[in-house]
Amino acid sequence: MPVRPHRRTTRRSALVTLTLTLAATTLTACGGGSGSDPDTVKVSFKQSTDNSIKVMDTYLADIKKQFEKANPGKKVEFVPIKAPDSEYYTKLQQMLRSPRTAPDLVYEDTFLINSDITSGYLKPLDPYLAKWPDWNRFVDTAKDAARGQDGKTYGVPDGTDTRGLWFSRDIFAKAGLPADWQPKTWDDVLDAARAIKEKVPGVIPLNVYTGKPVGEAATMQTFEMLLYGTGDAGGDPLYDRASKKWRTAGQGFEDALAFVETVYKEKLGPDVADALDPNVMTRVRGEWLPQGKLGIALDGSWLPQDWLAGSGHEWPEWSKELGLAAMPTQRGQAPGKVSMSGGWTWSIPDKAGNPDLAFEFLKTMQSKTNAQKWYIANSGIAVREDVANDPAYVRAQPGIKFFTDLVASTHYRPAFPAYPKVSTAIQEAMEGVTTGDMSVADAASGYDDALKDATDNQVVQK
């Protein structure tokens, strides 16, 4: 993620340059466009910036072989976008704007899909889904993640994720903490971090993502994991679905900010410079956890995909060296634990040249057998009921049952068109309390101002 420039003129000129560059890049990448060959389906996806991680590439290569064998004369062409998340979204949207560059099938993050729906970039899939019996196997909450405000469905989810607390058994033993640690409140989490700081010097007690450089990871994996555990507003503390307005910062919002402030004020987390490094997520899973440098990580169900055989970062001992605990609600109030879920979907661009062929490829990807392969390879959580109930899936990898069970107490973001801007406003508030440049009250007030701008003043007071 690029470093934020300090002056508005610099930001504007940089954006213009980036837009022109990306437009040129995507035009070149897609050649003659998706409609240039009626027998070829072009599939675009996010390729890892780490050359040693080939999970998606390997999976799609297998699906390509299956599809081409079952459909003689048809071909699959991949159009990978190798970029960090923020650049992937920008490049993808550039591609979707023109029939010359639009692929036939694209990989969409559920937190941005409504923006692309509103922009008219995606095709509703309801006519296809009505004729596909497997669609009835998908859980309703996952279907909702790809549904637009018009009630139509614009994507088929390829799994979901949940979040919890990973902890080092070795560091816990040295700190005198239990090997079967299951915190009941936020204070339990902070107290464990304080014990690690006191008794195990030289390691990071607790990592919670924060600030704009890590983007949505800060919002969802930290802030919303806290906010949705406060019980604030009784249901969705960010968005009031009855009035269709966004909620301003209330007590729960300030309590979540105060938790982040405590972590960095008491030096329970990484150095602030490390916390605000765009590569901090890579360091957590590639360095700090495997090398025993981090006591507790508030993170996602997908981490083991980096440690599996063939990943380039093999760590076969992880299931013995790391423990798992649910993130507790603020004071232990029901349901006692909290998780957030997101995930990705496969969508057909509105300007796709071969939409029918694209859906046939999608059906091949999302058969029970292939979906199960993907969930396991990607350390994902099943969104097909028949896979979730399959003992082979449950036994496939340590931790799958733990993270699948969290689906019962999970929440989904209000991923409406304004959400990306709302998320950025949350990240700015977090960064303010992380660096100490803002008090909790000032950061919350700043969020309210940014929220009004981001939503055209469509807000409701808590």
Side-chain angles (χ1 to χ4, degrees):
M1 188 173 296
V3 176
R4 290 176 296 152
H6 295 288
R7 294 189 299 174
R8 189 181 301 250
T9 53
T10 304
R11 186 182 294 115
R12 186 180 294 118
S13 61
L15 180 60
V16 171
T17 301
L18 175 63
T19 300
L20 292 173
T21 301
L22 293 176
T25 301
T26 51
L27 285 171
T28 302
C30 282
S34 64
S36 58
D37 180 356
D39 292 322
T40 299
V41 57
K42 291 192 174 183
V43 180
S44 193
F45 63 97
K46 182 182 181 301
Q47 191 172 54
S48 174
T49 55
D50 186 334
N51 292 329
S52 66
I53 298 176
K54 303 284 187 181
V55 179
M56 176 68 89
D57 305 70
T58 302
Y59 170 74
L60 288 178
D62 180 48
I63 303 300
K64 170 182 164 74
K65 289 180 182 178
Q66 293 181 38
F67 183 79
E68 292 180 347
K69 183 177 180 179
N71 299 275
K74 305 301 181 184
K75 299 294 181 184
V76 179
E77 180 182 331
F78 296 131
V79 187
I81 300 175
K82 189 174 185 177
D85 284 356
S86 59
E87 292 180 24
Y88 174 76
Y89 306 139
T90 304
K91 289 183 178 183
L92 181 61
Q93 289 181 341
Q94 288 289 330
M95 294 169 71
L96 297 178
R97 291 175 183 174
S98 168
R100 292 177 57 203
T101 56
D104 298 303
L105 194 64
V106 295
Y107 205 37
E108 286 271 347
D109 191 328
T110 55
F111 107 94
L112 279 177
I113 194 170
N114 263 286
S115 296
D116 285 348
I117 293 169
T118 303
S119 298
Y121 293 153
L122 303 179
K123 185 182 294 293
L125 302 183
D126 302 79
Y128 296 107
L129 298 173
K131 300 175 183 177
W132 185 38
D134 281 26
W135 186 236
N136 295 323
R137 298 287 191 178
F138 286 72
V139 298
D140 289 340
T141 50
K143 291 180 179 180
D144 289 343
R147 187 172 289 131
Q149 289 180 291
D150 60 3
K152 298 177 181 178
T153 301
Y154 290 82
V156 174
D158 72 339
T160 189
D161 47 40
T162 52
R163 287 148 176 81
L165 296 163
W166 300 77
F167 62 92
S168 166
R169 296 186 189 278
D170 181 60
I171 292 175
F172 264 50
K174 292 176 181 177
L177 295 167
D180 59 350
W181 182 64
Q182 296 294 317
K184 303 300 182 186
T185 66
W186 290 3
D187 283 342
D188 290 347
V189 177
L190 292 173
D191 286 344
R194 291 173 181 128
I196 292 170
K197 180 185 177 184
E198 178 185 352
K199 298 177 182 177
V200 196
V203 305
I204 301 166
L206 169 65
N207 183 71
V208 293
Y209 297 118
T210 187
K212 288 185 70 176
V214 295
E216 184 63 11
T219 306
M220 188 177 185
Q221 283 162 235
T222 297
F223 193 81
E224 290 171 353
M225 285 288 289
L226 294 164
L227 181 61
Y228 281 78
T230 63
D232 198 10
D236 190 329
L238 281 177
Y239 187 80
D240 179 42
R241 294 178 187 268
S243 65
K244 296 184 178 180
K245 293 184 178 182
W246 295 85
R247 299 185 191 275
T248 56
Q251 188 60 53
F253 194 100
E254 293 196 15
D255 289 349
L257 283 179
F259 183 99
V260 175
E261 179 187 54
T262 298
V263 170
Y264 290 97
K265 196 172 189 178
E266 295 188 18
K267 300 190 183 301
L268 301 176
D271 290 341
V272 171
D274 289 331
L276 298 179
D277 179 349
N279 297 311
V280 66
M281 289 181 286
T282 301
R283 297 190 71 185
V284 166
R285 61 182 186 261
E287 176 187 343
W288 293 346
L289 282 175
Q291 295 177 15
K293 297 178 179 179
L294 174 61
I296 307 167
L298 177 54
D299 222 306
S301 54
W302 57 86
L303 293 193
Q305 68 177 278
D306 281 14
W307 306 326
L308 299 178
S311 67
H313 300 281
E314 290 86 351
W315 184 24
E317 303 84 11
W318 74 264
S319 61
K320 296 179 181 178
E321 296 184 14
L322 295 179
L324 291 167
M327 180 65 187
T329 51
Q330 184 177 11
R331 300 180 183 87
Q333 68 269 39
K337 55 188 175 183
V338 66
S339 181
M340 297 297 300
S341 289
W344 294 68
T345 72
W346 288 100
S347 301
I348 298 177
D350 183 65
K351 294 179 172 60
N354 301 314
D356 294 349
L357 195 60
F359 194 77
E360 289 304 310
F361 183 79
L362 195 160
K363 285 164 57 179
T364 302
M365 275 198 297
Q366 294 305 313
S367 69
K368 177 182 183 293
T369 299
N370 286 330
Q372 185 162 320
K373 286 180 184 177
W374 173 245
Y375 301 148
I376 295 169
N378 192 46
S379 299
I381 304 302
V383 291
R384 287 185 60 123
E385 294 173 343
D386 48 356
V387 176
N389 294 327
D390 189 330
Y393 160 77
V394 175
R395 296 192 303 265
Q397 183 176 292
I400 281 184
K401 185 179 188 308
F402 170 83
F403 283 111
T404 301
D405 287 348
L406 288 177
V407 172
S409 50
T410 201
H411 301 270
Y412 286 80
R413 297 161 291 185
F416 301 120
Y419 179 80
K421 293 181 179 179
V422 174
S423 177
T424 299
I426 290 172
Q427 294 157 30
E428 290 171 343
M430 295 177 74
E431 190 166 328
V433 299
T434 296
T435 60
D437 291 342
M438 292 184 187
S439 67
V440 166
D442 287 344
S445 177
Y447 169 77
D448 285 349
D449 291 340
L451 182 69
K452 292 172 185 176
D453 290 340
T455 64
D456 294 326
N457 208 32
Q458 297 300 302
V459 300
V460 59
Q461 300 289 329
K462 281 188 181 174

